[in-house]
Amino acid sequence: MENVSLHGSINELHGKVKKDGMSSMLERFDAQEKTRCTYCTKGVSCQLCSQGPCRITKYADRGVCGIDANGMVMRNLVHINIFGTAAYSYHAKTAFKTLKAVGEGKASFEIKNEEMLNSVAVTLGVGKQKSVKETALKVAEFFMNEFHRDSDEESKLVEIFAPESRKKIWRDMGIFPGGPLHEIMDTETRCMTNIDSDYVSLAKMALRMGISMAYCSQIPLEIVQDILFGTPTPHETFVDVGIIDKDYVNILPNGHEPFVGAAIIKLAHRDDVQKLARDKGAKGIRVVGSIETGQELIQRFPTDDVFVGLTGNWINQEYVMATGAIDLFAVDMNCSVPTLGLYADKYNSTVASVSKLVRIPGVNINFDYTAEKVEEIAGKLITIAIDNFEKRKGKETLIPQKKQSAIVGFSTESVLRALGGTLTPLLDAVKAGSIKGITALVSCSTLANGPQDALTVAVAKELIKRDILVLSAGCGNAALQVAGLQSLDAIALAGPGLQGVCKALGVPPALSFGTCTDTGRLANLVTAVAGALGVDVSQLPVAVTAPEFMEQKATIDAMFAVAFGLYTHVSPVPAVTGAPDVVKLLTEDIENLTGGKIAVGDDPVQIVNGIEDHIMKKRKALGI
């Protein structure tokens, strides 16, 4: 591959990394391309027991245990989904414990959105209590109890938040779930050798687990984070590596959880803390968002001279370190690459883990986040960063001067406010055809189908050109931000109908809905639209695309989207092609059961042709 990225800043930094003789993402990808196993890419390989590894070939149509290609492929896929569900659930558990600590008066965080806390308490049936802290405690306990609900019982959160029409379908299919911990346990056990080898049964378990993940992990964790840090509201921020200034102490919270990053931002706004940096020769302290932790922060915190925005998504990490201007890379759970220790040594930086889950070779500074100690941890991290600045001050840096504005902070609540408190203007625009439909772009970033973010940006441009509104989340969200598609200038790239709507509302044609955890937030908006029209979700002119899915959380997002009733495009093609019956189930047969299905493809025009065809069929069926 000639370039590692669509973005010029990252390609420039890749040139530096290569010149410095460092192994980076692109070189490692090219090396693996020469050795990749075709059986693995088709999903027909298994290493679960000592009789293997087994492969399905023309000489062996079953594994030693007797499992066929369909069972093997689906079981492999479900295993990946379990990882994703577990990661989302861990994040949710951390959020619930944090809210509980606030309710008990043991944490330095505050309740920023008391109105939402009280509203959620009423929705959950626990009611507003005598004090804010008591209400927070009751809500946290309710979420945690549902988190642990047995799989033999129906989840109250699914009952509360899911559309009635969906709940009926899920009950009829036997996939109405309990809490995610028990769903994970059941599904993982079924996926052992010689337990569940029926591909249809396994697929149903994946759908069931996806529903539990969305309604018991994703939606509650974002509710809790909105309560603690405020519900996202639209505002301008800045992205790309040009937001880094070598003369400041630069702290990058990286990962998927906002807790430590939020605490650092709060401390860094204090004059006495800024003075500590100035006394060491820095202009001050700056907090720079990185990947999904940064995405969580830019959705909720204003951009100012302390919190300056977001560098980009997960593939950026090594190259951002190579600027030589990063004083502290503070990594929480999920998506921090194993080479950070090597890059810190080479480019005068310090890396610290802030999660008990994360340990990286060569990184010896490890803080295990708890809400009770978060202020203390944030203070120690700032001290470490200032000490690093003293050591790296005056040494070589390379910071490409690329900086892009973006409007971020959209949510169901902020969309309603922008529309005057009702969905009617949006629905009218859809009915009139100014907006043909809506596509949720929830994606990672990968080198498997081209340079970083190239396909994601191409798909988004093709969608808005055809008057299809894009709601984006995940690392794909950062792709659109850095590419300029979330600025008002991007309105010129939209079709005439969408242009008119965006100009009237003062919004870009691709709306930033945050991180991959905001899949649940998007589901809530789609639920609201379906409710306003009085139809099932599957009847809406709505689709999902993940143009560059990479890791395990993306796969369970896709399973939920299919269970939710949505046309769901994914690229690259998942490792399922070795089992034609599984392919048919996911791309055709499942639509007759849930209304959703998987679509594949790597060409942006063909991808959007499929999405647009789907949207136009739904419009015709609705008579619009």
Side-chain angles (χ1 to χ4, degrees), residues 412-548:
T412 303
E413 294 84 356
S414 65
V415 167
L416 282 168
R417 278 196 297 273
L419 297 172
T422 172
L423 287 169
T424 300
L426 175 62
L427 300 179
D428 287 346
V430 173
K431 291 174 183 176
S434 301
I435 297 175
K436 288 180 185 173
I438 299 170
T439 295
L441 187 154
V442 187
S443 192
C444 306
S445 185
T446 181
L447 301 184
N449 53 15
Q452 175 201 18
D453 298 342
L455 186 58
T456 295
V457 172
V459 168
K461 284 183 176 179
E462 191 69 26
L463 286 165
I464 65 174
K465 184 174 74 174
R466 302 194 197 187
D467 291 322
I468 298 171
L469 178 67
V470 172
L471 310 178
S472 61
C475 277
N477 197 20
L480 304 193
Q481 289 159 354
V482 175
L485 293 185
Q486 291 181 9
S487 70
L488 296 181
D489 291 341
I491 295 174
L493 302 176
L498 184 55
Q499 272 195 35
V501 174
C502 291
K503 287 177 181 177
L505 296 176
V507 298
L511 303 184
S512 171
F513 262 70
T515 75
C516 48
T517 61
D518 287 288
T519 300
R521 195 188 295 279
L522 288 164
N524 281 345
L525 179 59
V526 172
T527 297
V529 171
L533 290 174
V535 300
D536 180 61
V537 167
S538 64
Q539 296 173 267
L540 295 174
V542 172
V544 175
T545 180
E548 297 183 40

Side-chain angles (χ1 to χ4, degrees), residues 569-581:
H569 162 261
V570 298
S571 176
V573 176
V576 298
T577 57
D581 291 343

Side-chain angles (χ1 to χ4, degrees), residues 436-437 536-543 565-567 591 594-596 611-624:
K436 288 180 185 173
D536 180 61
V537 167
S538 64
Q539 296 173 267
L540 295 174
V542 172
L566 298 178
Y567 176 104
E591 188 173 17
T594 70
I611 291 172
E612 186 177 31
D613 287 348
H614 170 80
I615 283 172
M616 297 310 291
K617 287 176 185 175
K618 298 300 179 181
R619 290 182 62 88
K620 183 177 179 180
L622 290 171
I624 57 176

Side-chain angles (χ1 to χ4, degrees), residues 6 25 28 174 220 231 273 308 331 361 374 400 421 496:
L6 173 72
M25 195 82 62
R28 295 192 297 270
T231 302
V273 175
V308 294
V331 300
V374 69

Side-chain angles (χ1 to χ4, degrees), residues 101-371:
V102 171
E104 293 171 338
K106 296 178 180 178
S108 58
F109 292 131
E110 303 167 356
I111 302 296
K112 289 287 184 68
N113 194 337
E114 187 177 339
E115 181 182 353
M116 183 175 192
L117 172 65
N118 292 332
S119 174
V120 168
V122 171
T123 299
L124 298 180
V126 301
K128 180 181 176 183
Q129 304 297 303
K130 293 179 181 178
S131 71
V132 173
K133 288 185 176 179
E134 286 179 279
T135 306
L137 189 57
K138 287 289 186 182
V139 168
E141 288 173 345
F142 186 96
F143 283 146
M144 191 63 84
N145 288 339
E146 286 304 302
F147 192 67
H148 288 269
R149 183 168 291 281
D150 194 279
S151 56
D152 289 337
E153 303 169 4
E154 290 190 348
S155 165
K156 290 183 180 178
L157 288 171
V158 178
E159 180 61 44
I160 290 168
F161 290 117
E164 290 298 327
S165 56
R166 290 285 99 192
K167 288 186 286 189
K168 182 182 185 307
I169 289 170
W170 297 337
R171 286 189 175 104
D172 290 346
M173 288 182 64
I175 60 173
F176 196 111
L181 292 189
H182 284 267
E183 295 298 337
I184 290 169
M185 179 177 68
D186 288 5
T187 307
E188 184 67 67
T189 306
R190 292 173 85 113
C191 285
M192 287 179 63
T193 307
N194 300 329
I195 296 183
D196 189 340
S197 54
D198 179 77
Y199 76 98
V200 175
S201 172
L202 289 166
K204 288 174 69 175
M205 287 304 297
L207 295 171
R208 179 180 172 121
M209 193 168 55
I211 298 163
S212 184
M213 176 278 302
Y215 286 104
C216 304
S217 294
Q218 282 184 338
I219 289 174
L221 81 83
E222 287 299 343
I223 287 172
V224 169
Q225 291 176 174
D226 287 356
I227 288 169
L228 291 172
F229 307 121
T231 302
T233 55
H235 60 276
E236 185 181 40
T237 192
F238 295 94
V239 296
D240 213 338
V241 295
I243 62 175
I244 300 168
D245 188 324
K246 67 181 178 62
D247 295 323
Y248 284 80
V249 175
N250 292 305
I251 302 174
L252 271 70
N254 183 82
H256 279 68
E257 298 174 327
F259 309 111
V260 174
I264 293 172
I265 289 172
K266 182 179 178 180
L267 273 183
H269 274 92
R270 282 173 30 184
D271 290 339
D272 60 322
V273 175
Q274 288 287 334
K275 185 176 183 301
L276 295 173
R278 292 195 296 268
D279 288 346
K280 299 298 184 180
K283 288 184 177 179
I285 298 167
R286 283 186 169 173
V287 182
V288 183
S290 182
I291 68 169
E292 302 297 78
T293 294
Q295 201 70 248
E296 290 277 14
L297 297 173
I298 64 170
Q299 302 302 317
R300 296 179 172 87
F301 289 86
T303 302
D304 53 25
D305 197 46
V306 174
F307 179 53
V308 294
L310 176 79
T311 57
N313 59 35
W314 83 277
I315 287 180
N316 283 23
Q317 289 172 71
E318 293 171 324
Y319 307 112
V320 169
M321 291 283 276
T323 63
I326 307 307
D327 293 298
L328 179 69
F329 215 77
V331 300
D332 62 61
M333 59 88 66
N334 219 176
C335 290
S336 295
V337 297
T339 55
L340 287 177
L342 296 172
Y343 272 73
D345 290 342
K346 177 69 175 178
Y347 296 110
N348 310 306
S349 184
T350 299
V351 178
S353 161
V354 296
S355 168
K356 70 179 184 181
L357 300 187
V358 181
R359 295 296 182 265
I360 296 172
V363 174
N364 300 313
I365 303 172
N366 300 300
F367 298 99
D368 297 344
Y369 166 76
T370 64

Side-chain angles (χ1 to χ4, degrees), residues 541-564:
V542 172
V544 175
T545 180
E548 297 183 40
F549 96 87
M550 187 276 296
E551 56 104 80
Q552 297 90 343
K553 288 164 79 175
T555 65
I556 195 63
D557 285 336
M559 283 297 177
F560 168 65
V562 171
F564 198 49

